[in-house]
Amino acid sequence: MSERRPIESWLTDMDGVLVHEGHPIPGAEEFLRRLTASGKRFLVLTNNSIYTRRDLSARLHALGLPVAEEAIWTSALATAQFLSDQRPSGSAYVIGEAGLTTALHEAGYVLTELNPDYVVLGETRTYSFSSITRAIRLIERGARFIATNPDPIGPSTEGSLPATGAVAAMITRATGVEPYFVGKPNPLMMRTALNRVGGHSESTVMIGDRMDTDVRAGVEAGLETILVLSGVTRKDEVERFPFRASHVLDSIADVVDMVAPASGS
């Protein structure tokens, strides 16, 4: 591997890296406090579009993980920014929760069932047959199909739940129309995150627990990557992928000592 510049900014996934099934992962609090003390810029990324970043910040603080809402970037926010750039002041029929609807409202979008520019599919714990049917019919009439992320399942304390990617596949099967996925592993989400954190690809690292989304997104965006084995991808699966993480570590606790003091401190 070619020599990289010292790490000046950090991007990290949330589920499987900092938290797991509603509990903080050992080392996560120390990692975040080390980042804050070092002065390094960082952003917590998540493909989960259910919650607003204010909600996520409050949930993380309740677990003892100090993350300001400004340091959170979700697939819902990335989707809203993408749509605003593509078609300012547009309209959308949305399947999703407050994280997605709030982001779209703040981006100047009108949410409607009447001839929307887009059908936007996000994550919800209450997917309904009627809303999916309406989405299918709107796409058949010409609405463009956007999805926040391709994750087929999501975690819960009871086990796996069908997520955006699985429902998107059902809509695609019914309409023949593939969605444009904005979230990881789309490098678009990584580039918007880099812009938010003011980072450069050659001096930024991405930490994740999934080879197929987190590490792939980091690799395609030209970042240094760290896979932690505290989430989805298991150690015996790592070699199956055609791309490699820069580092494979057991958990976020093993990343703490990689956080160097800010330049000039």
Side-chain angles (χ1 to χ4, degrees):
M1 259 178 214
S2 60
E3 189 72 20
R4 297 185 65 90
R5 288 160 51 179
I7 299 169
E8 295 297 337
S9 51
W10 294 76
L11 305 177
T12 178
D13 186 37
M14 186 174 68
D15 293 311
V17 177
L18 303 178
V19 298
H20 180 66
E21 295 182 352
H23 300 282
I25 291 175
E29 181 180 2
E30 185 181 358
F31 170 72
L32 291 168
R33 294 195 185 281
R34 179 76 66 91
L35 277 180
T36 301
S38 74
K40 301 294 185 184
R41 302 181 299 272
F42 73 94
L43 208 58
V44 175
L45 306 183
T46 177
N47 264 355
N48 189 320
S49 64
I50 292 179
Y51 304 106
T52 67
R53 56 184 174 180
R54 181 178 298 177
D55 296 333
L56 290 173
S57 176
R59 292 165 73 92
L60 290 169
H61 273 86
L63 297 176
L65 302 179
V67 180
E69 60 181 274
E70 295 80 13
I72 296 173
W73 189 245
T74 71
S75 65
L77 292 166
T79 297
Q81 180 172 317
F82 170 74
L83 292 182
S84 180
D85 291 342
Q86 290 285 304
R87 188 176 290 265
S89 303
S91 60
Y93 173 69
V94 178
I95 299 177
E97 299 285 351
L100 183 55
T101 56
T102 299
L104 287 168
H105 272 305
E106 291 179 349
Y109 258 61
V110 172
L111 307 189
T112 180
E113 301 177 0
L114 302 175
N115 300 316
D117 298 314
Y118 299 95
V119 165
V120 182
L121 175 67
E123 197 161 340
T124 174
R125 298 293 161 83
T126 57
Y127 288 114
S128 74
F129 184 79
S130 61
S131 63
I132 292 170
T133 299
R134 185 172 297 278
I136 289 169
R137 291 173 180 170
L138 290 171
I139 292 169
E140 287 176 335
R141 294 173 195 160
R144 302 155 188 86
F145 187 17
I146 300 288
T148 57
N149 68 85
D151 298 19
I153 59 172
S156 77
T157 54
E158 294 83 23
S160 297
L161 296 171
T164 309
V167 178
M170 179 166 58
I171 294 174
T172 294
R173 186 65 182 267
T175 62
V177 177
E178 297 276 352
Y180 181 73
F181 292 107
V182 176
K184 298 174 294 182
N186 190 339
L188 175 70
M189 183 166 175
M190 306 304 290
R191 286 195 291 272
T192 58
L194 279 173
N195 289 337
R196 296 286 302 186
V197 81
H200 189 284
S201 60
E202 293 184 4
S203 57
T204 301
V205 64
M206 173 67 198
I207 310 168
D209 70 305
R210 298 183 63 135
M211 286 290 289
D212 58 341
T213 55
D214 304 317
V215 173
R216 178 179 169 183
V219 168
E220 292 184 358
L223 311 184
E224 185 171 355
T225 55
I226 298 173
L227 175 73
V228 291
L229 300 173
S230 51
V232 173
T233 299
R234 301 189 309 270
K235 188 173 185 178
D236 61 355
E237 296 175 321
V238 173
E239 292 300 325
R240 298 181 187 178
F241 293 87
F243 47 88
R244 299 180 63 189
S246 309
H247 311 273
V248 178
L249 303 172
D250 287 336
S251 76
I252 194 67
D254 300 301
V255 184
V256 174
D257 288 338
M258 296 177 65
V259 182
S263 300
S265 63

